[in-house]
Amino acid sequence: MAYDYIIVGGGPAGCVLANRLSADPSLKILLLEAGGGDWNPLFRMPAGFARMTKGVASWGWSTTPQKHLDGRVVSFTQAKIIGGGSSINAQLYTRGNAKDYDAWASDAGCKGWSYREVLPYFIKSEDNQRLVNAYHGYGGPMGVSYPINPPPISFAFLRAAQELGIPFNDDFNGAAQAGIGHYQLSTRNAERSSASSAFLKPIRGRKNLTVRLNAQVVKVEVEKGRAVGVTVARGNEMETLRADREVIVSCGAIGSPSLLQRSGIGPADALRSVGVSVVHDLPWVGANLQDHLDLYVIAECTGDHTYDRVARLHRTVWAGVQYLLFKTGPVTSTLFETGGFWYADKEARSPDIQFHLGLGTGIEAGVAHMKNPGVTLNSAFLRPRSRGTVRLASADPKAAPLIDPNYWADPYDRACAFKGLGLAREILRQPAMKRFVLAERMPGDNVKTEEELAQYAYRSCKTDYHPVGTCAMGAGPEAVVMPDLRLRGIEGLRVVDASVMPFLPSCNTAAPTFMVAEKAADMILGKPPLEAAKV
Ligand SMILES: Cc1cc2nc3c(=O)[nH]c(=O)nc-3n(C[C@H](O)[C@H](O)[C@H](O)COP(=O)(O)OP(=O)(O)OC[C@H]3O[C@@H](n4cnc5c(N)ncnc54)[C@H](O)[C@@H]3O)c2cc1C
């Protein structure tokens, strides 16, 4: 059977496209997702996130040894499930800074992608439970709401940051990004609003949309310079499916460059070195990898102020019951609900540090549990200058790709990261935290010198899971896709996902990915762009 469009990858981008393209009943759409379904109730529970970074529904990847992190291998969870990252992420809904998108347009030549032009596409997806104004709307598929019941320690954190001179901000996605506050979350009625639940479930009955799970695409088929379909692995069998109009690759910033390279589209030398025949030499496929690296402070609390208290079995059971019966309690929390944006470099054009207050310790993979309840404050440098790569380890589709974010290759990134960590330590030492915080435990008061900090960072740094840029759009020779997201040099092939972002936005990357896909859908359908916002 032939389809009009085959979408490869059912993450945020793939689900948005499946919804928007299949709204035209004359089109036959196929969505292929390598992972399985999101039937497990943990995917719906906001706090279910805590279980997800530890390998459930993920590809199980790690980085290559990081040269500038003393050889550290960093665990690099990427989703393998319908809904992609939006089914397992912390549900923080942040859009970044207006200047991020203006730089896409002015510095990368992405015509049509300035802030005023992309803002209507953020709003198109949005069903904001509280805000309606020039920046927000309601009625879109994706629920956006504020935390339901943040515990007192998170309000103390807000006060502490203000004591340090960081102003309160009630809407990081509004007129100004800088400041400290509660995040908006992609949740609705105390449930995760994932790409799957928001964009696929409501259209389950559409006859012109086929969704196939556990279907890993191993190759994009190209004939005479045109993508004509894909080959899917079904156990040991291979099946080729045809697309009459386009193949759309939406496998994420690691998956998309991997699939393209496996299909012979990428840097010729790298392809040959792993035995892949070159179909189209495109050197920048898999280059330009950017990611947010996170450093954190862990403090021991004076009492049961965070959700560490729920870790004991009887309390976990009670929290589950409370959630199922009343939709209240710890399970309604995404565990990272409070934070903000501030400056490491005072000359920076917009905030370059993001804080996430973690309501406990050991929330994420690689972060050790403490004996007593604790609180975590993450800080990430937002606009890294380092650039890395995604390359194939072998032609075997089962082999993990070589993910090299090349963290801290540029010393500016390291310097800003240390400033961010310093700010995080300072916030937790402010008077407002005294009632809640006993003492800093990590890095710990004895870690002071640059070398001591570096050793701590090498041991404990983690990714914020925000890879982008590996199939970057633009107008110059480094672009993999053009501003309409068509792949340069091959007909009938687009890339639509986080990989096309030329520069990493100064925020978590799900909302920008939804925006990219909303805009792409209009371009694919030949619709005129939404009218630019007047902000
Ligand atoms: C643990 C974690 C926490 C995060 N927290 C946040 C957060 O709180 N807020 C936020 O804004 N962002 C967060 N992010 C980032 C955000 O989720 C991603 O930016 C976003 O999901 C990117 O969407 P995507 O569509 O580009 O790719 P993905 O979400 O990676 O989806 C790609 C999909 O394609 C599938 N796929 C890959 N290869 C193939 C293939 N060959 N064949 C078929 N299918 C394939 C994958 O299985 C996956 O489901 C987090 C990410 C992770 C992993």
Side-chain angles (χ1 to χ4, degrees):
M1 168 157 180
Y3 296 89
D4 291 301
Y5 294 96
I6 296 181
I7 304 162
V8 187
C15 291
V16 170
L17 290 174
N19 180 311
R20 300 302 186 194
L21 301 188
S22 66
D24 178 344
S26 71
L27 297 174
K28 280 205 195 76
I29 313 294
L30 173 64
L31 175 64
L32 296 166
E33 165 55 43
D38 55 350
W39 52 269
N40 187 324
L42 277 176
F43 292 114
R44 286 199 298 280
M45 299 176 183
F49 155 73
R51 305 291 287 277
M52 303 306 182
T53 57
K54 293 171 184 147
V56 187
S58 105
W59 289 85
W61 293 328
S62 300
T63 67
T64 57
Q66 290 300 284
K67 186 170 167 198
H68 307 282
L69 297 178
D70 201 27
R72 169 90 189 281
V73 170
V74 181
S75 166
F76 206 90
T77 296
Q78 290 290 284
K80 187 180 183 186
I81 180 162
I82 192 71
S86 71
S87 292
I88 66 164
N89 70 18
Q91 301 139 83
L92 300 171
Y93 180 82
T94 58
R95 297 172 177 173
N97 195 278
K99 293 196 170 99
D100 294 330
Y101 304 100
D102 289 345
W104 290 12
S106 62
D107 300 358
C110 301
K111 196 165 174 287
W113 293 86
S114 70
Y115 180 64
R116 285 194 176 85
E117 290 164 299
V118 301
L119 179 54
Y121 287 101
F122 279 110
I123 299 172
K124 186 175 182 186
S125 294
E126 192 183 13
D127 187 22
N128 200 300
Q129 310 289 285
R130 188 186 294 184
L131 302 173
V132 185
N133 54 34
Y135 300 91
H136 294 283
Y138 65 97
M142 189 168 53
V144 176
S145 61
Y146 281 88
I148 290 178
N149 191 18
I153 192 170
S154 64
F155 290 95
F157 164 76
L158 299 182
R159 294 194 294 268
Q162 290 172 78
E163 283 175 328
L164 198 65
I166 305 177
F168 179 70
N169 184 345
D170 199 28
D171 179 10
F172 301 126
N173 302 317
Q177 186 196 18
I180 211 84
H182 293 301
Y183 285 115
Q184 286 155 35
L185 307 167
S186 48
T187 53
R188 179 163 38 208
N189 304 331
E191 285 192 8
R192 174 191 292 275
S193 194
S194 71
S196 160
S197 66
F199 284 86
L200 286 188
K201 292 218 168 101
I203 57 156
R204 239 184 310 219
R206 282 188 193 162
K207 300 234 170 351
N208 61 333
L209 171 65
T210 307
V211 180
R212 272 217 220 161
L213 303 178
N214 304 305
Q216 182 178 346
V217 171
V218 294
K219 197 174 172 211
V220 176
E221 299 295 337
V222 178
E223 289 172 6
K224 296 184 190 145
R226 181 176 183 87
V228 293
V230 298
T231 295
V232 186
R234 306 179 82 192
N236 290 332
E237 309 249 307
M238 295 292 168
E239 181 186 3
T240 296
L241 300 157
R242 309 267 312 175
D244 285 345
R245 296 195 188 198
E246 288 186 20
V247 172
I248 305 169
V249 174
S250 297
C251 300
I254 308 301
S256 288
S258 303
L259 176 60
L260 290 176
Q261 290 177 83
R262 221 172 287 121
S263 310
I265 302 166
D269 290 349
L271 300 185
R272 283 192 198 103
S273 72
V274 290
V276 172
S277 318
V278 179
V279 172
H280 178 48
D281 181 15
L282 199 51
W284 285 83
V285 172
N288 194 42
L289 173 61
Q290 301 158 57
D291 186 32
H292 290 144
L293 189 72
D294 204 289
L295 298 181
Y296 55 83
V297 188
I298 290 183
E300 189 172 346
C301 293
T302 54
D304 272 356
H305 302 306
T306 63
Y307 296 129
D308 276 354
R309 68 174 189 270
V310 187
R312 276 167 244 153
L313 183 64
H314 66 287
R315 289 182 175 179
T316 309
V317 171
W318 171 235
V321 171
Q322 213 182 345
Y323 179 78
L324 291 173
L325 292 181
F326 312 114
K327 285 274 169 70
T328 58
V331 179
T332 65
S333 168
T334 71
L335 309 177
F336 289 96
E337 306 173 327
T338 316
F341 299 89
W342 200 239
Y343 295 85
D345 181 346
K346 293 200 173 63
E347 306 292 311
R349 49 102 159 140
S350 58
D352 56 1
I353 289 290
Q354 181 173 8
F355 299 112
H356 296 103
L357 184 75
L359 296 171
T361 55
I363 292 170
E364 295 180 67
V367 180
H369 275 279
M370 285 196 319
K371 194 164 159 234
N372 296 312
V375 65
T376 308
L377 184 53
N378 293 338
S379 74
F381 174 54
L382 290 173
R383 285 191 296 283
R385 295 178 179 177
S386 308
R387 297 290 183 265
T389 51
V390 177
R391 295 277 166 249
L392 298 181
S394 91
D396 179 357
K398 290 195 206 86
L402 301 172
I403 305 169
D404 179 9
N406 206 12
Y407 296 119
W408 291 2
D410 190 316
Y412 179 76
D413 297 352
R414 172 185 158 123
C416 289
F418 284 160
K419 282 192 192 143
L421 180 66
L423 279 170
R425 297 176 93 180
E426 279 300 303
I427 293 173
L428 293 186
R429 287 176 185 152
Q430 294 304 303
M433 295 308 293
K434 283 268 170 334
R435 193 158 72 79
F436 297 89
V437 163
L438 199 60
E440 178 185 305
R441 295 294 182 227
M442 290 173 79
D445 290 337
N446 53 338
V447 175
K448 291 190 183 106
T449 65
E450 166 109 20
E451 184 46 34
E452 287 164 348
L453 276 170
Q455 290 303 327
Y456 170 70
Y458 300 152
R459 277 197 313 278
S460 62
C461 65
K462 52 177 269 305
T463 169
D464 266 356
Y465 318 102
H466 296 161
V468 308
T470 47
C471 301
M473 69 170 149
E478 295 169 7
V480 171
V481 296
M482 296 174 284
D484 61 4
L485 306 184
R486 285 177 207 271
L487 191 117
R488 285 176 55 208
I490 295 201
E491 294 291 306
L493 183 58
R494 278 188 226 237
V495 184
V496 180
D497 58 22
S499 72
V500 305
M501 300 178 195
F503 309 119
L504 189 47
S506 315
C507 60
N508 315 84
T509 44
T513 308
F514 281 99
M515 176 279 288
V516 163
E518 287 281 19
K519 190 165 163 56
D522 272 2
M523 295 191 293
I524 294 165
L525 292 170
K527 292 186 178 174
L530 295 178
E531 193 185 336
K534 295 183 180 61
V535 293

Coordinates of all heavy atoms in Angstrom, one line a residue, residues 170-221:
D170 N 6.4 35.7 36.6 CA 5.3 34.8 36.6 C 5.1 34.1 35.3 O 4.2 33.2 35.2 CB 4.0 35.6 37.0 CG 2.9 34.6 37.5 OD1 3.3 33.5 38.0 OD2 1.7 34.9 37.3
D171 N 5.8 34.5 34.3 CA 5.6 33.9 32.9 C 6.9 34.0 32.1 O 7.1 35.0 31.5 CB 4.5 34.7 32.2 CG 4.2 34.1 30.8 OD1 4.8 33.0 30.5 OD2 3.4 34.7 30.1
F172 N 7.7 32.9 32.2 CA 8.9 32.9 31.4 C 8.7 32.9 29.9 O 9.6 33.2 29.1 CB 9.7 31.7 31.8 CG 10.1 31.5 33.2 CD1 9.8 30.4 33.9 CD2 10.7 32.6 33.9 CE1 10.1 30.3 35.3 CE2 11.1 32.5 35.2 CZ 10.7 31.3 35.9
N173 N 7.5 32.6 29.5 CA 7.1 32.5 28.1 C 6.4 33.8 27.6 O 5.8 33.8 26.5 CB 6.2 31.3 27.8 CG 6.9 30.0 28.2 OD1 8.1 29.8 28.0 ND2 6.2 29.1 28.9
G174 N 6.5 34.8 28.4 CA 5.8 36.1 28.1 C 6.7 37.2 27.6 O 7.7 36.9 26.9
A175 N 6.5 38.4 28.0 CA 7.2 39.5 27.5 C 8.7 39.5 27.9 O 9.6 39.9 27.2 CB 6.6 40.8 28.0
A176 N 9.0 38.9 29.1 CA 10.4 38.9 29.6 C 10.7 37.5 30.1 O 9.9 36.9 30.8 CB 10.6 39.9 30.7
Q177 N 11.9 37.0 29.8 CA 12.3 35.6 30.2 C 13.0 35.6 31.6 O 12.9 34.6 32.3 CB 13.2 35.0 29.1 CG 13.5 33.5 29.4 CD 14.7 33.0 28.6 OE1 15.5 33.8 28.1 NE2 14.8 31.7 28.4
A178 N 13.7 36.7 31.9 CA 14.6 36.7 33.0 C 13.8 36.6 34.3 O 12.7 37.2 34.4 CB 15.5 37.9 33.0
G179 N 14.4 35.9 35.3 CA 13.7 35.9 36.6 C 13.5 34.5 37.2 O 14.0 33.5 36.6
I180 N 12.9 34.5 38.3 CA 12.7 33.2 39.0 C 11.2 33.0 39.3 O 10.5 34.0 39.4 CB 13.4 33.3 40.4 CG1 14.0 32.0 40.8 CG2 12.7 34.0 41.5 CD1 15.3 31.6 40.2
G181 N 10.7 31.8 39.2 CA 9.3 31.6 39.4 C 8.9 30.1 39.2 O 9.8 29.3 39.1
H182 N 7.6 29.9 39.1 CA 7.1 28.5 38.9 C 7.1 28.4 37.3 O 6.6 29.3 36.6 CB 5.8 28.3 39.5 CG 5.8 28.3 41.0 ND1 6.5 27.4 41.7 CD2 5.2 29.0 41.9 CE1 6.4 27.6 43.0 NE2 5.6 28.6 43.1
Y183 N 7.4 27.2 36.9 CA 7.4 26.9 35.4 C 5.9 26.6 35.0 O 5.2 26.1 35.8 CB 8.2 25.7 35.1 CG 9.7 26.0 35.1 CD1 10.5 25.4 36.0 CD2 10.2 26.8 34.1 CE1 11.9 25.6 36.0 CE2 11.6 27.1 34.1 CZ 12.4 26.5 35.0 OH 13.8 26.7 35.0
Q184 N 5.6 26.9 33.8 CA 4.4 26.3 33.2 C 4.8 24.9 32.8 O 6.0 24.6 32.5 CB 4.0 27.1 31.9 CG 3.4 28.4 32.3 CD 3.5 29.5 31.2 OE1 3.5 29.1 30.0 NE2 3.7 30.7 31.6
L185 N 3.8 24.0 32.8 CA 4.1 22.6 32.6 C 3.2 22.1 31.5 O 2.0 22.6 31.4 CB 3.8 21.8 33.9 CG 4.5 22.3 35.1 CD1 4.0 21.7 36.4 CD2 6.0 22.0 35.0
S186 N 3.6 21.1 30.7 CA 2.7 20.5 29.7 C 1.9 19.5 30.4 O 2.1 18.2 30.2 CB 3.5 20.0 28.5 OG 4.6 19.2 29.0
T187 N 1.0 19.9 31.3 CA 0.1 19.1 32.0 C -1.3 19.7 31.9 O -1.5 20.9 31.7 CB 0.5 18.9 33.5 OG1 0.6 20.3 34.0 CG2 1.8 18.2 33.7
R188 N -2.3 18.8 32.1 CA -3.7 19.2 32.1 C -4.4 18.3 33.1 O -4.3 17.1 33.0 CB -4.3 19.1 30.7 CG -5.8 19.6 30.6 CD -6.3 19.8 29.2 NE -5.7 18.9 28.3 CZ -5.5 19.2 27.0 NH1 -5.8 20.4 26.5 NH2 -5.1 18.3 26.2
N189 N -5.2 19.0 34.0 CA -5.9 18.2 35.0 C -5.0 17.2 35.7 O -5.4 16.0 35.8 CB -7.1 17.5 34.4 CG -8.0 18.6 33.8 OD1 -8.1 19.7 34.2 ND2 -8.7 18.2 32.7
A190 N -3.8 17.6 36.1 CA -2.9 16.7 36.9 C -2.5 15.5 36.1 O -2.1 14.5 36.6 CB -3.5 16.3 38.2
E191 N -2.5 15.6 34.7 CA -2.0 14.5 33.9 C -1.0 15.1 32.9 O -1.2 16.2 32.4 CB -3.1 13.8 33.1 CG -3.9 12.9 34.0 CD -4.8 12.0 33.3 OE1 -4.8 11.9 32.0 OE2 -5.6 11.3 33.9
R192 N 0.0 14.3 32.5 CA 0.9 14.7 31.5 C 0.1 14.9 30.2 O -0.7 14.1 29.8 CB 1.9 13.6 31.3 CG 2.9 13.8 30.1 CD 3.7 12.6 29.8 NE 4.6 12.3 30.9 CZ 5.9 12.8 31.0 NH1 6.3 13.6 30.1 NH2 6.6 12.4 32.0
S193 N 0.5 16.0 29.5 CA -0.1 16.3 28.2 C 1.0 16.0 27.2 O 1.8 16.9 26.9 CB -0.6 17.7 28.1 OG -1.4 17.9 27.0
S194 N 1.2 14.8 26.7 CA 2.3 14.4 25.8 C 1.8 14.6 24.4 O 0.6 14.8 24.1 CB 2.6 12.9 26.1 OG 1.6 12.1 25.6
A195 N 2.8 14.5 23.5 CA 2.4 14.6 22.1 C 1.4 13.5 21.7 O 0.5 13.7 20.9 CB 3.7 14.4 21.2
S196 N 1.6 12.3 22.4 CA 0.7 11.2 22.1 C -0.7 11.5 22.6 O -1.7 11.4 21.9 CB 1.3 9.9 22.7 OG 0.3 9.0 22.8
S197 N -0.8 11.9 23.9 CA -2.1 12.1 24.5 C -2.8 13.3 23.9 O -4.0 13.4 23.7 CB -2.1 12.2 26.0 OG -1.4 13.4 26.4
A198 N -2.0 14.4 23.5 CA -2.6 15.6 23.0 C -2.9 15.6 21.5 O -3.9 16.1 21.1 CB -1.7 16.8 23.4
F199 N -2.0 15.0 20.8 CA -2.1 15.1 19.3 C -2.6 13.8 18.6 O -3.2 13.9 17.5 CB -0.8 15.5 18.7 CG -0.5 17.0 18.9 CD1 0.1 17.4 20.0 CD2 -0.9 17.9 17.9 CE1 0.4 18.8 20.2 CE2 -0.6 19.3 18.1 CZ 0.0 19.7 19.3
L200 N -2.4 12.7 19.3 CA -2.8 11.4 18.6 C -4.1 10.9 19.1 O -5.0 10.5 18.4 CB -1.8 10.3 18.7 CG -0.5 10.5 17.9 CD1 0.4 9.3 18.0 CD2 -0.8 10.8 16.4
K201 N -4.3 10.8 20.5 CA -5.4 10.1 21.0 C -6.7 10.8 20.5 O -7.7 10.0 20.2 CB -5.4 10.2 22.6 CG -4.2 9.3 23.0 CD -4.5 8.5 24.3 CE -3.5 7.4 24.5 NZ -2.5 7.8 25.5
P202 N -6.9 12.1 20.5 CA -8.1 12.7 20.0 C -8.5 12.4 18.6 O -9.6 12.5 18.2 CB -7.9 14.2 20.2 CG -6.8 14.4 21.1 CD -5.9 13.1 20.9
I203 N -7.6 11.9 17.8 CA -7.9 11.7 16.4 C -7.8 10.2 16.0 O -7.6 9.8 14.8 CB -7.0 12.5 15.4 CG1 -5.5 12.2 15.7 CG2 -7.2 14.0 15.6 CD1 -4.6 12.5 14.5
R204 N -7.9 9.4 17.0 CA -7.7 7.9 16.8 C -8.6 7.4 15.7 O -8.3 6.4 15.0 CB -8.0 7.2 18.1 CG -6.9 6.4 18.6 CD -7.2 5.6 19.8 NE -7.8 6.4 20.9 CZ -7.6 6.3 22.1 NH1 -6.8 5.4 22.6 NH2 -8.3 7.0 23.0
G205 N -9.8 8.0 15.5 CA -10.8 7.5 14.6 C -10.5 7.8 13.1 O -11.1 7.3 12.2
R206 N -9.5 8.6 12.9 CA -9.2 9.1 11.5 C -8.8 7.9 10.6 O -7.8 7.2 10.9 CB -8.2 10.2 11.4 CG -8.7 11.5 11.8 CD -7.7 12.6 11.5 NE -8.1 13.8 12.2 CZ -7.3 14.9 12.4 NH1 -6.0 14.8 12.0 NH2 -7.8 15.9 13.0
K207 N -9.5 7.6 9.5 CA -9.2 6.4 8.7 C -8.0 6.6 7.8 O -7.4 5.7 7.4 CB -10.5 6.1 7.8 CG -11.7 5.8 8.6 CD -12.3 4.5 8.2 CE -13.4 4.0 9.0 NZ -13.8 4.6 10.3
N208 N -7.7 7.9 7.6 CA -6.5 8.1 6.7 C -5.2 8.2 7.4 O -4.2 8.5 6.8 CB -6.7 9.4 5.9 CG -6.8 10.6 6.8 OD1 -7.2 10.5 8.0 ND2 -6.5 11.8 6.3
L209 N -5.2 7.9 8.7 CA -3.9 7.9 9.5 C -3.7 6.5 10.0 O -4.5 5.9 10.8 CB -4.0 8.9 10.7 CG -2.8 8.8 11.7 CD1 -1.5 9.2 11.0 CD2 -3.1 9.7 12.9
T210 N -2.5 5.9 9.7 CA -2.1 4.6 10.3 C -0.9 4.9 11.2 O 0.0 5.6 10.8 CB -1.7 3.7 9.1 OG1 -2.7 3.6 8.2 CG2 -1.3 2.3 9.7
V211 N -1.0 4.4 12.4 CA 0.1 4.5 13.3 C 0.7 3.1 13.6 O -0.1 2.2 14.0 CB -0.3 5.2 14.7 CG1 0.8 5.3 15.6 CG2 -1.0 6.5 14.4
R212 N 1.9 2.9 13.3 CA 2.5 1.6 13.6 C 3.6 1.7 14.7 O 4.5 2.5 14.5 CB 3.2 1.1 12.3 CG 2.3 0.3 11.5 CD 3.1 -0.9 10.9 NE 2.7 -1.1 9.5 CZ 3.5 -1.7 8.6 NH1 4.7 -2.2 9.0 NH2 3.1 -1.9 7.4
L213 N 3.4 1.0 15.7 CA 4.4 1.0 16.8 C 5.4 -0.2 16.6 O 5.2 -1.1 15.8 CB 3.7 0.8 18.2 CG 2.6 1.9 18.5 CD1 1.9 1.6 19.8 CD2 3.2 3.3 18.4
N214 N 6.5 -0.1 17.4 CA 7.5 -1.2 17.3 C 8.0 -1.3 15.9 O 8.3 -2.5 15.4 CB 7.0 -2.5 17.9 CG 6.6 -2.3 19.3 OD1 7.3 -1.8 20.2 ND2 5.3 -2.6 19.6
A215 N 8.1 -0.2 15.2 CA 8.4 -0.3 13.8 C 9.7 0.6 13.5 O 9.5 1.8 13.3 CB 7.3 0.2 12.9
Q216 N 10.8 0.0 13.6 CA 12.0 0.8 13.5 C 12.4 0.9 12.0 O 12.6 -0.1 11.3 CB 13.2 0.3 14.3 CG 14.5 1.1 14.1 CD 15.6 0.6 14.9 OE1 15.5 -0.2 15.8 NE2 16.8 1.1 14.7
V217 N 12.5 2.1 11.5 CA 12.9 2.3 10.1 C 14.4 2.2 10.0 O 15.1 2.8 10.8 CB 12.5 3.7 9.6 CG1 13.1 4.0 8.2 CG2 10.9 3.8 9.5
V218 N 14.9 1.4 9.1 CA 16.3 1.2 9.0 C 16.9 2.0 7.9 O 18.1 2.2 7.8 CB 16.7 -0.3 8.9 CG1 16.3 -1.1 10.2 CG2 16.0 -1.0 7.7
K219 N 16.1 2.4 6.9 CA 16.6 3.1 5.8 C 15.6 3.9 5.1 O 14.4 3.5 5.0 CB 17.1 2.0 4.8 CG 18.1 2.5 3.8 CD 18.6 1.4 2.9 CE 19.4 1.9 1.8 NZ 19.3 1.1 0.6
V220 N 16.0 5.1 4.6 CA 15.1 5.9 3.7 C 15.5 5.4 2.3 O 16.7 5.4 2.0 CB 15.4 7.4 3.9 CG1 14.6 8.2 2.8 CG2 15.0 7.8 5.3
E221 N 14.6 5.0 1.5 CA 14.9 4.6 0.1 C 14.9 5.7 -0.8 O 14.0 6.5 -0.9 CB 13.8 3.6 -0.3 CG 13.7 2.3 0.5 CD 15.0 1.5 0.5 OE1 15.7 1.6 -0.5 OE2 15.2 0.7 1.4

